[in-house]
Amino acid sequence: MNPTIKDVAQKANVSIATVSRVLHNLGGYSDKTKQKVDQTIKELKYQPNAIARGLINKRTQTIGVLFPDVSSAFSSDLLHGIDEFLHNHNYSVMVCNTDQDGKRTLKYLQLLREKQVDGILFSSEVLKKEYYDLLEDMRVPVVLISSQTDFPNVPYVKIDDFQAAYDAVDYLVAKGHRRIAMISGTKGDPIAGTPRIEGYRKALEAHGIAFNSRYLFYGDFMYESGSRAMKSILQKAPEVTAVFAASDEMAIGALSTAAQHGLNVPEDISIMGYDDLRLARMVNPPLTTVRQPLHDIGMIASGKLIDMIESGEIAQSQICAHSIVERQTVRTIT
């Protein structure tokens, strides 16, 4: 017979409720009691029964996480924060790859409904009405990550994309650059596309630099699109002295293409990214970029979701601070 929580409680000489609180890190017990319970669990080789626990509290201790591209470095950095927080609070993670245009989003929401997840983290995608309606029917809390919505009862955690892009261009202008190209994300994207373009345009305007449509190029936030956009920049706007890419992956793609064309960065052309992925520190030269605290954003969003599950209250949205990380891909023009 497998040992039960009752067996653990009897051997440790504590109540079943105390064992449960230790298992769920809920507090309300002394360090000595925790050590005694933990030791008893090891001695008895007790394994908590997730199914039985779910029948009691009507929870599965599982969170669904939706990403447009689970293979991207952006998703990976976010997921580290998500998984760390949820693991420490005894929740499992079910990761779903919705694809770039959301082709699989409804399918995965239906799957998460069938799996009876306790909550959902919805990352980097527009929350369409059809998704919202299904989430309302599911009656589970949801928190948006790097996205936002006007739908009620759906908090979000992100940075201010307009201001972050504005600050990036302001930084480049302060370094003496006036012919600044931008590699934007997906055209028409209202979440991370349009706000960053607006930040780029407003920063130029604030410095008396006319917006030049020839200097605006589009990608899809991925490495290959940054490489293609950089080729177009070199062909169509060779006078550009700096390139601001709306993601680090696109910036690294641009960096690679510049090197393939015999250009030295930053001596011949400056390149600036957006995200501060771990990759940004690994490339040569290391990438100057706008830092999104992705690990922290993942943890904060997870914390808000767990609070909503435990309390039934709607969490407050949060705008996290961004910053400029200076490395070696932007030079000063005197």
Side-chain angles (χ1 to χ4, degrees):
M1 292 285 293
N2 293 326
T4 66
I5 191 171
K6 184 177 179 181
D7 296 328
V8 174
Q10 287 178 342
K11 184 171 177 60
N13 196 28
V14 297
S15 68
I16 292 174
T18 297
V19 177
S20 179
R21 294 185 72 81
V22 170
L23 288 169
H24 291 86
N25 292 325
L26 294 177
Y29 44 79
S30 67
D31 288 341
K32 183 178 179 181
T33 296
K34 182 180 186 325
Q35 290 171 10
K36 183 164 60 173
V37 171
D38 286 341
Q39 183 61 36
T40 303
I41 287 170
K42 288 179 182 176
E43 289 174 2
L44 294 180
K45 297 182 180 178
Y46 169 69
Q47 292 290 329
N49 188 321
I51 296 174
R53 188 169 63 238
L55 290 172
I56 294 169
N57 61 22
K58 296 183 179 179
R59 293 184 190 147
T60 60
Q61 300 297 119
T62 305
I63 301 298
V65 184
L66 287 84
F67 287 115
D69 183 1
V70 295
S71 67
S72 73
F74 177 90
S75 298
S76 175
D77 282 8
L78 270 177
L79 189 55
H80 273 90
I82 292 168
D83 187 63
E84 180 179 327
F85 187 94
L86 294 178
H87 175 77
N88 289 339
H89 288 78
N90 296 308
Y91 280 82
S92 299
V93 178
M94 182 178 292
V95 180
C96 304
N97 184 44
T98 60
D99 212 347
Q100 286 295 335
D101 57 0
K103 285 186 289 190
R104 304 173 187 162
T105 303
L106 276 176
K107 171 188 169 184
Y108 276 122
L109 286 175
Q110 292 284 8
L111 174 66
L112 295 175
R113 182 181 199 169
E114 292 168 11
K115 296 295 184 182
Q116 297 183 314
V117 297
D118 297 329
I120 292 174
L121 293 169
F122 192 94
S123 172
S124 308
E125 188 180 345
V126 176
L127 184 64
K128 298 177 182 176
K129 189 175 187 305
E130 57 188 324
Y131 306 159
Y132 176 75
D133 289 343
L134 180 54
L135 289 165
E136 284 284 280
D137 289 342
M138 291 172 67
R139 297 183 181 276
V140 297
V142 58
V143 175
L144 302 186
I145 301 177
S146 296
S147 181
Q148 65 185 99
T149 183
D150 292 327
F151 288 124
N153 305 328
V154 184
Y156 55 83
V157 182
K158 65 188 296 292
I159 68 168
D160 184 333
D161 285 285
F162 169 87
Q163 190 62 51
Y166 184 104
D167 291 348
V169 177
D170 185 67
Y171 169 84
L172 291 172
V173 174
K175 291 290 185 179
H177 297 276
R178 296 185 67 83
R179 295 190 296 274
I180 303 169
M182 179 179 184
I183 305 175
S184 172
T186 310
K187 193 171 187 177
D189 172 14
I191 301 301
T194 304
R196 296 179 193 180
I197 292 174
E198 286 303 303
Y200 163 74
R201 295 185 63 156
K202 288 293 184 182
L204 293 175
E205 180 184 311
H207 290 281
I209 303 171
F211 168 71
N212 187 338
S213 60
R214 290 177 51 248
Y215 290 174
L216 179 60
F217 298 81
Y218 291 94
D220 60 9
F221 299 105
M222 299 293 105
Y223 173 93
E224 291 80 6
S225 70
S227 179
R228 289 193 299 270
M230 190 64 180
K231 288 178 184 175
S232 296
I233 290 170
L234 296 178
Q235 290 169 0
K236 299 175 182 178
E239 71 277 13
V240 160
T241 64
V243 176
F244 167 50
S247 77
D248 280 354
E249 287 205 37
M250 291 196 298
I252 293 168
L255 196 67
S256 175
T257 294
Q260 289 169 12
H261 283 74
L263 298 177
N264 291 319
V265 176
E267 291 82 5
D268 297 321
I269 191 165
S270 293
I271 296 175
M272 186 169 184
Y274 191 111
D275 288 330
D276 195 29
L277 304 177
R278 284 174 292 172
L279 287 172
R281 301 188 292 272
M282 300 177 188
V283 293
N284 184 30
L287 186 67
T288 294
T289 188
V290 177
R291 180 175 188 268
Q292 293 199 70
L294 295 175
H295 182 274
D296 293 347
I297 287 173
M299 293 195 73
I300 291 166
S302 300
K304 288 183 181 294
L305 186 64
I306 299 307
D307 286 345
M308 291 171 69
I309 292 168
E310 301 287 348
S311 70
E313 304 280 330
I314 303 301
Q316 293 293 313
S317 296
Q318 184 170 337
I319 298 294
C320 298
H322 64 273
S323 58
I324 303 294
V325 180
E326 288 190 284
R327 293 197 178 97
Q328 296 173 31
T329 56
V330 175
R331 78 178 180 101
T332 301
I333 297 177
T334 54

